[in-house]
Structures are given as structure tokens and as C-alpha cells.
Amino acid sequence: NSIEVFAFLCEYFDANAQLVKKFRLNYFADGTVEILNPERTKTIMKRIPYKEVSLGMLYIGAAVTIFSRQYHIVDYADAGTRKRFERLCGKSFGIVKASALPKTGEILSAVRGAGFVIGDLKTVIMDGEMVLGIMASSEVTSMEGAVSLFADTVLNLGHEMYVSATPEDVVKDCDDFFGDGSFKNSFADNECSLCLIKPHVIKDGNLGAIVSSILDAGYHFGCLQMFYLDRECAVEFFDVYRGVLPQYEEMAAHLIDGPVVALQLVGNGIVERFRETCGPVNVELAKTIRPKTLRAVFGHDFAKSAVHCTDLPEDGKLECKYFFEILSKV
């Protein structure tokens, strides 16, 4: 029997050559992927199983990392993929209003629990108040079904939210909120610490749980945004640890395994306080001596330690600006 294949056109920025290169990404229903040139005359990566990529992660505007290369999906490669993908994989959009922001973790957990993959997040200022935009896609329902399921899931929680009413509204709202020239994120130059939620937490389905743990501990965020890092950004961000930590390469490599979620946590003495909440970066040590800390609860090992947090008070603004001012414009 033939295996269904979904084909996408994507772009990769080659930092060494300073060129944008174009490719065709084929995703097969058995979980294998291959990468070709757009004309399909040359195989760039032969077809192999790649469990880090799922169909729900593939949509126009998404970024996926395959063997340390970040590919940006710019279009469907053929009309058949467009028709079958939109029938099988629905996209949805919602806005968490200011009064519901303390329940962000609960909302994200509910969305993930309903079978959605969260593809983008960003807080912005609308009408003088901070709100959070959520874009999510479903691998188990159509476009129309996804809009209805998403609305039922989040509105039944009883929190104040806006949800797109139709598939056409989803496309427009996502473009207005996340597209080029869209709303600027809500970053403000205050005393702050960066909390960077690592890819394995999101893949494990624990994004909502860890956000709830942070908010329930009394912390407040001034900005929250999802990022898809490439190797250059990950290496640059962790460059201070080069030659200092033997796990440096593993730490940088893990940041491009999937999306990360960055939070700007604000408040007096925030760097020291949040560092205590995170616990020791050695996860095994954290599980032994600080079992209720974020790294003990959600971490796996040194590289997959659940979160990165700012080490020194003077670095809080620098790290937050790197993500929310520099990378958000890339």
C-alpha cells in the first residue's frame, strides 16, 4: 500500500554563505521525512524516521529543526497537500485576555490535552492591557473541527478569552497577531529575569504545568513568547558557558530540538528569587536536595534541565532584550 505524503516548500538561512536556500520537505504518514531540492532532482536528505517532527508541527509560517538546521515552511508544495492537510490538520487561534492571564498554565494544559500542538505564543499590549495570543494546530480534526474543538476547550474553562470563529478568521487573526508587521510583544525595560522553558518540556506536554507552577509560586511575567532557535542563536546565547561547562555542546544542541518559550519575569530581587525556585542545574542533585524545584520536577538531565534562568542580576535585562528585542525581530 502507498503511504500518504505531505509536501511543503521551505527555506533555510545558511549563515556562512549568507544565503536563503530553498527546499522541498516531504513528510510521510509513517513518520519518515525527506528533503529534496524544489525541482525534486536532487536528494538533500534521504527518507528516514524522524520522531521529533509530527504532522501538526507542519504549517505555513512554522519553523522545524531537523538535524540542527531550522527550516521555515513558506508554502504547500502542491495542491493535493494543501487540500489533504487542511482537511486533516486544523489550525485555531485565541486570545487570553488580561483577567485570565493568571490562568495561562491551565489554559495551555487544556489546549494540549485536547490534542492540539501549540505552534505560537506571544503577549502584546492591546487597549492598554497585556493579552496572550495562542496559535494551535490539531492532528486529529479538520479546519472546521479544530475551530470548534478549540473554542469548546478554552471557553468551557470559564476564563475571559476571544477565539476565532471560522477557519478564515483563524488565518486572518494569526497573520495580524504573528505575521510580518504584526503587534510588537509586551516587553518593557524593567528589573527582570529570563526564564527559558526548554524544548523537552514542551514535547513532554508539560508547558502548561510548568507555567502554572511558576505563576502559582507568585511570579508575574511582563512578556511571554515562543521562539524557534537556530544553531547560531543557541550557540551565541550560551557562549558564556563555552569552556566553562563540559555540557555546553549538549545544552546548545537541545535548544534547537524544538520551540522554546521565553518569559520575562519581573519584580524586586527577581533573579535571585527565581534562581532558587529553579533549583540546582544538576537535575539529579536537585531531585535529591530540592525535590520541589522546577528542575527536580520537570528536568531530565543537565542539558534537559527544564528551564534556563538568569544567573546574575546584571544579566537579567541583557538576556531578556536578546530574546524579546533582538530575536523577536528576526
Side-chain angles (χ1 to χ4, degrees):
N1 294 330
S2 61
I3 298 175
E4 193 170 25
V5 58
F6 299 85
F8 302 88
L9 298 178
C10 57
E11 296 178 345
Y12 163 72
F13 177 68
D14 186 331
N16 292 325
Q18 291 293 297
L19 291 173
V20 175
K21 298 182 177 180
K22 300 181 184 297
F23 300 96
R24 176 188 176 110
L25 171 65
N26 288 339
Y27 178 88
F28 296 83
D30 62 357
T32 55
V33 297
E34 69 177 355
I35 299 174
L36 313 170
N37 66 339
E39 296 78 22
R40 292 186 288 176
T41 58
K42 182 179 180 181
T43 300
I44 309 302
M45 186 188 80
K46 67 179 182 179
R47 181 179 169 187
I48 59 170
Y50 200 79
K51 64 181 181 180
E52 287 80 5
V53 173
S54 65
L55 188 58
M57 298 167 64
L58 304 175
Y59 53 87
I60 296 173
V64 293
T65 301
I66 301 175
F67 293 121
S68 300
R69 281 191 169 189
Q70 187 181 78
Y71 297 91
H72 292 265
I73 298 175
V74 296
D75 203 354
Y76 300 106
D78 53 57
T81 292
R82 178 187 298 274
K83 183 177 181 180
R84 287 179 290 113
F85 183 83
E86 292 184 351
R87 173 174 53 84
L88 292 173
C89 295
K91 193 162 67 170
S92 53
F93 174 81
I95 295 176
V96 181
K97 298 190 177 180
S99 64
L101 286 177
K103 300 298 183 181
T104 294
E106 178 189 352
I107 293 168
L108 295 178
S109 291
V111 171
R112 186 69 185 92
F116 288 91
V117 175
I118 296 172
D120 218 339
L121 296 166
K122 184 172 69 172
T123 53
V124 305
I125 303 299
M126 296 181 66
D127 298 325
E129 293 187 318
M130 182 168 64
V131 300
L132 170 66
I134 302 173
M135 191 283 287
S137 58
S138 172
E139 298 181 35
V140 297
T141 186
S142 63
M143 288 289 283
E144 291 79 4
V147 171
S148 176
L149 177 60
F150 183 84
D152 290 343
T153 299
V154 298
L155 296 181
N156 285 342
L157 296 174
H159 308 310
E160 191 176 9
M161 288 191 62
Y162 160 85
V163 295
S164 300
T166 66
E168 293 74 22
D169 289 340
V170 170
V171 173
K172 180 181 184 303
D173 290 341
C174 284
D175 187 57
D176 288 345
F177 210 92
F178 298 114
D180 294 337
S182 61
F183 293 101
K184 179 180 178 296
N185 65 35
S186 61
F187 174 73
D189 193 3
N190 300 317
E191 181 178 353
C192 58
S193 174
L194 177 70
C195 168
L196 192 65
I197 300 174
K198 295 188 175 184
H200 75 90
V201 176
I202 299 169
K203 288 183 180 179
D204 291 345
N206 288 328
L207 176 59
I210 200 168
V211 170
S212 289
S213 295
I214 293 168
L215 298 183
D216 290 347
Y219 295 103
H220 303 277
F221 58 82
C223 192
L224 183 155
Q225 190 168 352
M226 179 173 277
F227 293 91
Y228 294 81
L229 303 181
D230 58 23
R231 180 165 178 78
E232 288 75 19
C233 291
V235 167
E236 183 178 19
F237 180 67
F238 273 155
D239 189 62
V240 67
Y241 299 110
R242 187 195 301 267
V244 177
L245 294 177
Q247 301 88 352
Y248 162 78
E249 287 292 342
E250 290 85 352
M251 290 167 57
H254 178 55
L255 285 193
I256 60 175
D257 276 348
V260 299
V261 172
L263 292 89
Q264 178 201 19
L265 301 179
V266 296
N268 295 329
I270 185 63
V271 171
E272 296 93 336
R273 289 193 292 118
F274 188 64
R275 194 172 60 232
E276 288 297 307
T277 298
C278 291
V281 70
N282 184 317
V283 172
E284 290 305 314
L285 180 63
K287 291 180 183 293
T288 301
I289 67 172
R290 303 283 303 284
K292 294 184 179 180
T293 57
L294 296 178
R295 286 172 175 145
V297 175
F298 298 102
H300 295 328
D301 53 39
F302 206 103
K304 298 178 180 179
S305 57
V307 293
H308 162 83
C309 64
T310 303
D311 287 327
L312 302 172
E314 57 267 29
D315 291 338
K317 289 185 180 181
L318 293 174
E319 291 191 348
C320 286
K321 285 183 177 180
Y322 180 73
F323 275 88
F324 299 115
E325 288 193 343
I326 297 174
L327 294 188
S328 66
K329 296 176 183 177
V330 174

